[in-house]
Amino acid sequence: MSGFTLKPQKGTVLITVLLFMSFLSIITINFIRDIKINIAQFSNLRDINQSFWISHSIENISKTIIEESQRLNPSSSILPVIWERGPIIFPFRDGLVSADISDGSNCFNLNGIVKAEEKNKYIRNNDGVLMYSNLLSSLDFSDAEILVMVNSLVDWIDTDTMPGNGGAEDIFYMTAESSYRTPNNLISSISELRAIRGYTEEYFQKIKSFVCVLPNTFHNSINLNTIRPDQTNLLVMLIGKKLNLSVADRIINSRPKEGFRNLDSFWSLNEFNNIEIPNLAKQYVTFKTKFFTLKAKVYLNDSFISISSKLGIKDSGEVYRINKNYGINL
């Protein structure tokens, strides 16, 4: 009888051993998989970290280029011809960098839609409202859309809590599914527009090339010799609807290769013969740039980052960083 009782025990032990080995195999496979994942994650983190350092180097190189350009041509701001052709590609081992330096003054400073009445107190700036309205109109927004977009932006920044016509204050945003308040302070990034009433993603993409953010409420002076053919809406922004966009296109596309010599030669163009130029337009045009924009993309193995830096120039000629943003699509 004892011989018969041992066989089931041996079978049970065998099954137990097989189950244990299977369990151990599963643990080993998962352990190896986790190691591979950790190695891949470490490699990605290493590449991303290296990409950040590469982008920092590109920014320093760009500062040097701008400083040298200003030193060689202190009375005007025309970048070397190589940068006028668009992004420059710098290949390196395991990747490449695409870098583009452009005039950072040729845009509407969103914070210029208000003015500082006193420290940290902001009120509506009618000149800024007019210029921004002109810009939106040149981009084919309707009057109703412009009303909402302009006044909502003013309400987002200004200090009071009373919404303007078509605008929005806290009471509007607090009733949203994800409630939040207006900052009642200057905007720090153009991406904030996405949180403001009237700015859909479609509208944001439509205007983002024409607007910028500076840490003040000053209006940028548009550099007539660096404004690109795809930025002629900025001339309409200054002069108003009296200047047809097609005429603005013709003015910039026929600009002398060496640029306009002086403001008189610009305002004496035939295209302005029947247009009364507002003082606002004459006040905010220049040949000297105070701000530049660096846009760079770093590709390293399977990692990718995009940076956008706003650079300013001190009176001493030194270039400094105003702000810097990282992302995927800037």
Side-chain angles (χ1 to χ4, degrees):
M1 296 292 293
S2 60
F4 289 98
T5 58
L6 287 174
K7 289 182 179 179
Q9 291 177 357
K10 289 181 179 179
T12 302
V13 171
L14 179 60
I15 292 173
T16 301
V17 171
L18 290 174
L19 287 173
F20 176 77
M21 293 301 295
S22 298
F23 183 65
L24 185 62
S25 298
I26 292 172
I27 292 176
T28 303
I29 291 171
N30 287 333
F31 181 69
I32 294 173
R33 184 195 63 186
D34 289 343
I35 290 176
K36 289 181 177 180
I37 291 174
N38 288 335
I39 291 174
Q41 288 177 337
F42 175 78
S43 297
N44 288 337
L45 288 173
R46 180 198 60 199
D47 290 344
I48 291 173
N49 184 58
Q50 188 174 347
S51 296
F52 277 112
W53 282 107
I54 292 172
S55 70
H56 185 69
S57 298
I58 291 296
E59 183 179 271
N60 287 335
I61 293 171
S62 300
K63 289 179 180 178
T64 302
I65 291 172
I66 295 171
E67 288 173 350
E68 185 65 13
S69 175
Q70 297 300 298
R71 186 185 68 81
L72 294 174
N73 194 6
S75 62
S76 183
S77 297
I78 299 180
L79 286 168
V81 174
I82 187 173
W83 292 97
E84 296 178 359
R85 299 172 182 171
I88 306 299
I89 306 299
F90 301 94
F92 61 92
R93 182 178 178 181
D94 298 327
L96 61 85
V97 172
S98 168
D100 184 27
I101 303 175
S102 60
D103 192 320
S105 297
N106 292 338
C107 54
F108 175 77
N109 177 18
L110 292 171
N111 287 324
I113 206 164
V114 298
K115 58 184 177 181
E117 191 175 42
E118 55 187 68
K119 187 177 181 180
N120 295 328
K121 185 175 182 180
Y122 302 104
I123 62 173
R124 182 186 185 92
N125 185 333
N126 290 329
D127 285 346
V129 167
L130 175 60
M131 286 193 287
Y132 192 41
S133 298
N134 288 341
L135 175 61
L136 294 177
S137 178
S138 74
L139 292 169
D140 296 326
F141 286 98
S142 69
D143 290 342
E145 291 167 335
I146 293 172
L147 180 70
V148 173
M149 294 170 73
V150 168
N151 288 330
S152 293
L153 179 58
V154 172
D155 288 336
W156 186 260
I157 304 174
D158 69 7
T159 310
D160 68 41
T161 57
M162 292 295 294
N165 183 18
E169 288 283 359
D170 285 348
I171 191 171
F172 175 84
Y173 300 107
M174 291 298 290
T175 57
E177 184 175 347
S178 299
S179 60
Y180 51 94
R181 295 179 181 274
T182 59
N184 293 333
N185 208 337
L186 299 182
I187 286 179
S188 59
S189 170
I190 65 170
S191 61
E192 277 189 52
L193 289 177
R194 292 185 169 103
I196 301 176
R197 180 187 184 187
Y199 290 86
T200 64
E201 183 61 25
E202 177 188 355
Y203 291 179
F204 175 79
Q205 294 298 330
K206 195 173 181 178
I207 69 174
K208 71 176 185 178
S209 299
F210 301 95
V211 298
C212 57
V213 168
L214 296 175
N216 54 53
T217 60
F218 303 148
H219 298 305
N220 291 344
S221 291
I222 305 302
N223 189 326
L224 298 173
N225 282 340
T226 60
I227 185 172
R228 301 192 310 267
D230 61 344
Q231 294 178 313
T232 53
N233 301 72
L234 297 174
L235 288 182
V236 180
M237 176 187 78
L238 293 176
I239 298 173
K241 299 178 182 179
K242 294 173 289 186
L243 178 65
N244 189 281
L245 186 58
S246 61
V247 176
D249 290 340
R250 187 166 68 246
I251 291 172
I252 297 304
N253 286 323
S254 60
R255 177 177 52 198
K257 186 176 181 180
E258 66 280 5
F260 297 108
R261 297 190 309 275
N262 50 56
L263 291 177
D264 288 339
S265 66
F266 175 75
W267 292 122
S268 62
L269 292 173
N270 292 333
E271 284 81 358
F272 297 129
N273 284 345
N274 299 317
I275 298 177
E276 183 179 352
I277 306 300
N279 291 330
L280 191 66
K282 295 180 179 180
Q283 185 179 352
Y284 292 112
V285 291
T286 185
F287 296 126
K288 188 69 176 174
T289 291
K290 293 184 177 180
F291 305 102
F292 288 88
T293 298
L294 165 67
K295 289 186 178 292
K297 297 179 180 180
V298 182
Y299 301 85
L300 179 60
N301 293 320
D302 294 329
S303 69
F304 162 75
I305 64 168
S306 178
I307 70 164
S308 177
S309 295
K310 181 71 74 174
L311 306 174
I313 305 176
K314 297 180 180 179
D315 292 338
S316 63
E318 179 188 356
V319 176
Y320 65 99
R321 181 204 299 162
I322 298 173
N323 56 51
K324 185 175 185 177
N325 294 308
Y326 292 93
I328 300 298
N329 185 23
L330 296 176

